[in-house]
């Protein structure tokens, strides 16, 4: 990894809730609100945005762990601010704390762990399976 990533590094993502983000299974909407699955996606994405500028050409990040608490619903049209903050950085393991807010209301919180590996190692891990 390139130098410069540190505890306290932050990234923000702004998202508007659309029907494609609703809680649904097998194409059937369960609740017409922002789904937990989509929240996990956005938490991983904003956390990845933090590491992208620091990856060497031969490196790639992989998600290793996600924990999430979905605290309140966000209906269609809600403007979400999703912020990730690096809370731990040990060698090639980056942990971010993530908050999802609609205005001042907390929609969700979580933690994302990413591991940076050589692309060749990732390819070996995949092909071994």
């Amino acid at each position: 990894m390139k130098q410069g990533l540190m505890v306290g590094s932050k990234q923000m993502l702004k998202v508007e809730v659309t029907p494609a983000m609703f809680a649904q299974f097998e194409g059937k909407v369960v609740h017409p609100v922002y789904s937990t699955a989509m929240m996990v996606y956005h938490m991983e994405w904003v956390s990845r945005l933090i590491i992208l500028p620091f990856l060497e050409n031969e490196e790639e990040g992989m998600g290793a762990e996600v924990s999430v608490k979905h605290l309140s619903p966000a209906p269609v049209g809600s403007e979400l601010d999703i912020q990730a903050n690096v809370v731990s950085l040990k060698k090639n393991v980056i942990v971010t704390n993530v908050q999802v807010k609609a205005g001042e209301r907390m929609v969700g919180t979580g933690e994302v762990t990413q591991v940076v590996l050589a692309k060749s190692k990732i390819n070996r891990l995949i092909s071994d399976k």
Side-chain angles (χ1 to χ4, degrees):
M1 283 182 57
K2 298 174 187 171
Q3 296 295 314
L5 183 61
M6 60 186 68
V7 170
S9 294
K10 296 179 182 181
Q11 186 60 256
M12 177 75 94
L13 182 64
K14 291 188 176 284
V15 174
E16 181 178 338
V17 176
T18 67
M21 298 175 188
F22 286 172
Q24 57 186 298
F25 295 95
E26 300 294 321
K28 188 172 182 175
V29 173
V30 178
H31 306 291
V33 294
Y34 186 60
S35 70
T36 304
M38 191 57 64
M39 183 182 295
V40 169
Y41 171 84
H42 287 131
M43 286 180 167
E44 285 199 281
W45 177 234
V46 74
S47 296
R48 178 171 172 73
L49 289 173
I50 289 178
I51 69 167
L52 284 177
F54 302 99
L55 295 176
E56 300 285 356
N57 288 337
E58 68 279 357
E59 294 177 322
E60 186 52 89
M62 292 186 80
E65 185 176 352
V66 177
S67 66
V68 62
K69 290 184 181 180
H70 199 150
L71 302 171
S72 66
V76 70
S78 295
E79 297 283 337
L80 303 178
D81 292 319
I82 306 165
Q83 181 172 308
N85 178 31
V86 176
V87 294
S88 176
L89 177 60
K90 295 180 182 165
K91 294 187 181 182
N92 65 328
V93 180
I94 301 97
V95 180
T96 55
N97 181 318
V98 186
Q99 294 185 336
V100 180
K101 289 184 172 183
E104 293 300 313
R105 183 171 48 85
M106 189 69 69
V107 175
T109 62
E111 189 173 272
V112 176
T113 301
Q114 300 172 87
V115 179
V116 174
L117 298 170
K119 290 177 182 178
S120 58
K121 181 169 184 173
I122 294 170
N123 290 335
R124 280 194 311 277
L125 290 169
I126 292 169
S127 65
D128 286 348
K129 302 299 174 203

